[in-house]
Amino acid sequence: MITRGFLVASLLLAAACTREAASPSMPAPPPAPDIHSFARPAEARVTHVALDLQVDPAARVLRGTATLTLVRRADAGEVVLDTRGLRVTRVTDEAGQPLAHRLQPEVTFLGQALVVALPARGDRVTVHYETSPSAAALQWLTPAQTAGKTHPYLYSQGQAILTRTWIPTQDSPGIRQTYEATIRAPRPLRVVMSAEMLTPDGVDAADGQRAFRFKMDQAVPPYLIAIAAGDIAFRSLGPRTGVYTEPAVLDRAANELADLEKMVAAAESLGGPYQWGRYDVLVLPPSFPFGGMENPRLTFATPTILAGDRSLVSLLAHELAHSWSGNLVTNAVWSDFWLNEGVTTYFENRIMEALYGKDRALMLAALGRAEVLRDMKDMPPADTKLVLDLANRDPDEGMNQVAYEKGAALLHTIEAAVGRDRFDPWLRGYFNRHAFTSITSREFAGDLRRELIRGDTALEAKIALSAWLDEPGMPAVAVVPQSPAFRQVEAQVARFTGGTPASALVVDGWVTQQWQHFLEQLRTAPLSPAQLRDLDATFGFTASGNSEVLFGWLRIVVARHHEPAVPALEKFLTSQGRRKFLRPLYDDLMQSTWGQPIARRIYATARPGYHAVSAQTIDGIVK
C-alpha cells in the first residue's frame, strides 16, 4: 500500500528531477511541484481537453470521452493523469487503437493516478469513461430541489481538486489547458459551460436529446472547467453581460444584477481590458456550496445574494475581479491560494468603492478584517500564514478567511505605503506580465520587489512582506480600515445594551453592512430573552429575506438557546447549502446539549440536499 507521505515525497523528487530534464521545446512545467496532483508534466503535459459527454440524470452520471492533446518529451513513455472515482473502460490513440493503461492505488482525497502508455507517435489520447453517481464535483438535483419543480438539474464545482472526479486530466492549477465540449442532454434541458457557447439553444439530436457545443480558447486551470444543465433561461443585461437561471427566478435575478455591466467597466479601469469575451452569471439552485465560483465567462452564484435591494452584490464584484486575479493570473499550487483570493478581495473592494462609494468599501473591509481576526483566534498559528503547508492535507483546508482577508490587507497596506498613483499601474502591470500563467508567492514577491519596491529598503521594511507570507497572524504594519458608519452603529449597540428599547434606536438609512456589524457586536453582548423578543419584534430579523442579516441574527439566538427562532433556523439550514452559513451555525449548535439534538435532527434532513463540499465539512462537525 502506498502511503500518502511516501507519495508526496516521490512527487516532489520526480518533479524536481523532471524540471531539469525538460526539453526546450516543452512548455514550461508548473513553477512549483504540485503535491496535490499525480501528474508528471515535464514528461507529458495536457494542453487541451475535448469532451464528448452524455448527461444522464436518471443514472446521475456523465459518460463519454475525453480526448487529451499532449506536449510530450521525445523519450516520454507514458502520461500520468488525475482521476477519482471514474470508471475507465478503455483508452485509445488517435487511430482508435487501444493503449495500455493502469489505475494506481487510491490515495485519500487525491484519488488514483491513471497511467497511460504512449504510442511511439501521436499527441492525443482518448479516455472512455463514466463518472460515479457520487462524484464529488457533480451535484444532481431532483425536480423537487429546483425552483421550477419540474426538471432535474446538474451543476459542477471543481475547485480545488474535484475536476478529476468528472474529467480525467492533469488536475493542477499550474497545468493550464484549453478545452472544447459537445454535451448531449435530454430535452428540454439546457446545458451551459464556462466557455464560449457555440450552440446556445442546442441542436436536436436522436432519442430525444439536444447537443450543445462549447469552446474555450484561453488556457485555464482545470478547476475552472464547469458545467450546468437544467431548466435554464437567459436574459441580457448589457452588450457583454447577462444572467442565466431557472425561469421562476429570472426576474429577481435580472433586477438584482442590473449593475453588472457597470461592474465590468469599473473593474477594467483598475485591472485593464476584460480578456474573456462575455461576463455572464448563472444563479444556481440553493444547494450551491459557495457564494460564487469564478468560472470564466460564466460565474456560478448562490441565490442567497438575491436580497431584493442589490445590497449583497459585492459577491459578484468578487467573482468578476477573479477574471484578473485567479483566472488570468492563478496560484500555481494550493499552498498559495491567497494569490487568487487575497488579490481578488482587494480588487473587489476597489470595484465596490467605484460603484457605491468609499463608505461602502470601508465597511466591507472592516467586516472582513474583524472576521479574519476572530477566525485566527481559533486556528493553528501555522494556518494563519499566507503561504501554507498543505502536505498530506486536502487543499480545501486552506480555503479560509486568512487567504481572503489577510491577503487583501497586504495589498491595502502596499497601496497605503506607495499611494494609488504608483500602486495601480503596478497592479495592472502585474496582471499583464503574468496573464494566462500560474505563479507562486515567491514569484509574486519577486515581481513586487522588482517592479514596485525597486531596492527601496525603507519601503521594503514598511511593507514587511516576509511577515505577511511566512509569519502567523496579522502583521503589525497592516493598515486598519476605519469606518465612520460603524462608529454610528456601535453607539446604537451601546444604547441598546444599556437598556434603550429597540424602537428608540436611530437606524434610519442603514445598509446591510451596518446591520451585519450591529448583529456581530450584539453576538457577544449579554442579552435577555426580553431583549431578543424586542429586537425581533422591532426589526423582523427572523423573517428577513437578506441572508447575511438572517445569518447574523441566527448566530445570536442559537448562542442563547432561543426556542422561538428554531423554526427559522431549521428553514434556513434546509433551504440553502452555502458552506459559509452552514459551518458556523452547525458548529454553534454542537457547542451545547441544547443545540446538539437540533443539529443532528436538521442535518439528517438537510444533508441529501447539500453539495459534497458542504456535506464533507459538516460531517466533521455534526457527530
Side-chain angles (χ1 to χ4, degrees):
M1 176 66 73
I2 296 176
T3 66
R4 202 160 52 201
F6 175 82
L7 172 72
V8 169
S10 299
L11 286 171
L12 287 169
L13 178 61
C17 295
T18 54
R19 283 172 64 85
E20 293 300 320
S23 160
S25 63
M26 288 278 292
D34 185 355
I35 61 175
H36 294 109
S37 173
F38 298 106
R40 301 200 300 265
E43 298 174 21
R45 179 173 183 166
V46 176
T47 60
H48 182 75
V49 179
L51 299 172
D52 190 332
L53 298 173
Q54 171 70 49
V55 178
D56 187 342
R60 296 193 164 203
V61 300
L62 300 174
R63 67 172 63 88
T65 62
T67 298
L68 310 177
T69 302
L70 311 173
V71 174
R72 53 188 290 194
R73 203 170 57 193
D75 61 348
E78 57 190 23
V79 60
V80 183
L81 309 174
D82 295 300
T83 76
R84 181 177 154 195
L86 299 181
R87 188 173 73 88
V88 177
T89 56
R90 59 194 174 112
V91 182
T92 57
D93 63 14
E94 294 180 52
Q97 295 301 306
L99 293 173
H101 62 280
R102 65 187 186 278
L103 283 168
Q104 301 281 44
E106 184 171 358
V107 178
T108 304
F109 68 73
L110 295 181
Q112 296 175 276
L114 173 60
V115 182
V116 178
L118 293 175
R121 295 182 180 82
D123 62 358
R124 288 183 180 87
V125 299
T126 298
V127 182
H128 303 249
Y129 71 100
E130 180 177 288
T131 62
S132 165
S134 59
L138 303 178
Q139 178 81 17
W140 297 90
L141 303 178
T142 66
Q145 293 173 299
T146 68
K149 311 297 183 186
T150 304
H151 301 290
Y153 202 105
L154 161 70
Y155 67 84
S156 69
Q157 170 56 38
Q159 196 178 46
I161 55 171
L162 299 181
T163 295
R164 66 191 67 183
T165 70
W166 74 284
I167 301 173
T169 188
Q170 292 176 328
D171 190 15
S172 167
I175 305 178
R176 303 176 75 97
Q177 301 152 33
T178 55
Y179 81 92
E180 62 186 287
T182 298
I183 311 292
R184 285 171 295 282
R187 290 195 294 265
L189 301 188
R190 181 182 205 165
V191 180
V192 294
M193 293 190 77
S194 56
E196 182 182 355
M197 301 184 189
L198 302 178
T199 54
D201 297 319
V203 176
D204 285 343
D207 302 323
Q209 305 290 309
R210 279 198 297 179
F212 297 81
R213 294 181 57 242
F214 308 88
K215 70 170 182 176
M216 170 55 74
D217 289 334
Q218 294 111 322
V220 298
Y223 72 84
L224 292 178
I225 304 175
I227 188 172
D231 184 11
I232 299 173
F234 174 77
R235 183 170 298 171
S236 175
L237 298 174
R240 54 184 169 170
T241 57
V243 59
Y244 290 90
T245 191
E246 293 186 73
V249 184
L250 189 58
D251 287 342
R252 286 177 60 213
N255 178 67
E256 203 79 19
L257 309 186
D259 290 336
L260 204 56
E261 194 75 33
K262 295 178 185 177
M263 278 191 181
V264 177
E268 287 183 312
S269 68
L270 177 61
Y274 179 76
Q275 299 196 45
W276 301 94
R278 291 193 59 81
Y279 182 71
D280 296 318
V281 175
L282 172 66
V283 178
L284 288 162
S287 62
F288 187 56
F290 300 118
M293 183 62 211
E294 63 271 17
N295 302 311
R297 296 180 63 99
L298 186 64
T299 282
F300 284 16
T302 171
T304 62
I305 65 169
L306 304 181
D309 59 2
R310 302 176 193 167
S311 60
L312 302 181
V313 294
S314 63
L315 181 142
L316 288 181
H318 183 93
E319 304 310 329
L320 170 61
H322 269 304
S323 301
W324 288 264
S325 47
N327 297 2
L328 196 64
V329 184
T330 309
N331 52 243
V333 291
W334 293 112
S335 59
D336 291 327
F337 183 57
W338 80 271
L339 286 173
N340 278 17
E341 297 300 346
V343 179
T344 294
T345 300
Y346 169 84
F347 198 163
E348 164 205 339
N349 194 260
R350 292 288 301 274
I351 295 172
M352 295 302 290
E353 178 183 329
L355 290 178
Y356 304 111
K358 185 72 172 178
D359 286 346
R360 177 78 70 90
L362 283 171
M363 285 189 279
L364 289 165
L367 285 172
R369 176 182 168 85
E371 182 176 6
V372 74
L373 291 179
R374 287 193 302 271
D375 288 354
M376 283 180 172
K377 293 177 182 178
D378 299 323
M379 297 173 66
D383 284 354
T384 67
K385 303 175 183 180
L386 286 182
V387 180
L388 296 175
D389 179 3
L390 292 176
N392 297 322
R393 300 171 69 187
D394 190 324
D396 196 51
E397 294 182 32
M399 295 183 177
N400 55 51
Q401 287 302 305
V402 173
Y404 291 73
E405 297 298 342
K406 184 178 178 180
L410 167 58
L411 269 73
H412 282 293
T413 300
I414 298 170
E415 178 207 312
V418 301
R420 286 188 178 178
D421 59 334
R422 289 181 61 191
F423 180 84
D424 287 1
W426 169 78
L427 184 62
R428 183 184 288 221
Y430 164 79
F431 294 139
N432 289 337
R433 286 186 294 276
H434 303 285
F436 299 107
T437 67
S438 300
I439 69 170
T440 65
S441 292
R442 304 308 161 198
E443 289 170 295
F444 171 90
D447 187 282
L448 183 71
R449 290 183 170 117
R450 183 173 57 254
E451 302 292 338
L452 189 62
I453 297 175
R454 297 181 179 178
D456 186 335
T457 55
L459 179 56
E460 176 88 31
K462 192 172 185 179
I463 294 171
L465 187 58
S466 62
W468 291 92
L469 299 181
D470 302 317
E471 295 177 17
M474 188 68 75
V477 299
V479 169
V480 179
Q482 302 289 345
S483 168
F486 279 2
R487 287 196 286 271
Q488 300 169 22
V489 171
E490 289 154 12
Q492 299 309 306
V493 170
R495 291 184 66 209
F496 182 73
T497 56
T500 301
S503 59
L505 300 181
V506 181
V507 299
D508 291 345
W510 278 13
V511 297
T512 291
Q513 289 71 33
Q514 287 169 292
W515 286 112
Q516 286 179 267
H517 189 57
F518 178 75
L519 292 168
E520 183 55 41
Q521 295 295 301
L522 288 176
R523 191 158 69 88
T524 55
L527 298 176
S528 68
Q531 285 178 304
L532 293 177
R533 291 192 295 271
D534 183 25
L535 283 169
D536 205 20
T538 303
F539 301 124
F541 291 136
T542 299
S544 176
N546 184 306
S547 59
E548 292 284 358
V549 170
L550 179 57
F551 168 68
W553 171 245
L554 290 174
R555 295 208 71 186
I556 289 173
V557 296
V558 166
R560 289 158 182 81
H561 307 171
H562 189 56
E563 288 285 349
V566 171
L569 172 69
E570 182 166 3
K571 181 180 179 182
F572 188 65
L573 290 175
T574 56
S575 63
Q576 55 82 37
R578 189 174 174 187
R579 188 171 61 171
K580 170 188 174 180
F581 297 145
L582 302 183
R583 176 162 42 191
L585 287 171
Y586 279 114
D587 193 53
D588 290 349
L589 284 168
M590 292 300 292
Q591 299 308 307
S592 70
T593 55
W594 174 84
Q596 288 170 6
I598 296 173
R600 295 187 183 108
R601 175 176 58 80
I602 293 175
Y603 189 46
T605 300
R607 191 184 188 284
Y610 292 162
H611 187 278
V613 167
S614 291
Q616 177 179 314
T617 297
I618 309 307
D619 283 348
I621 296 172
V622 181
K623 300 177 180 177

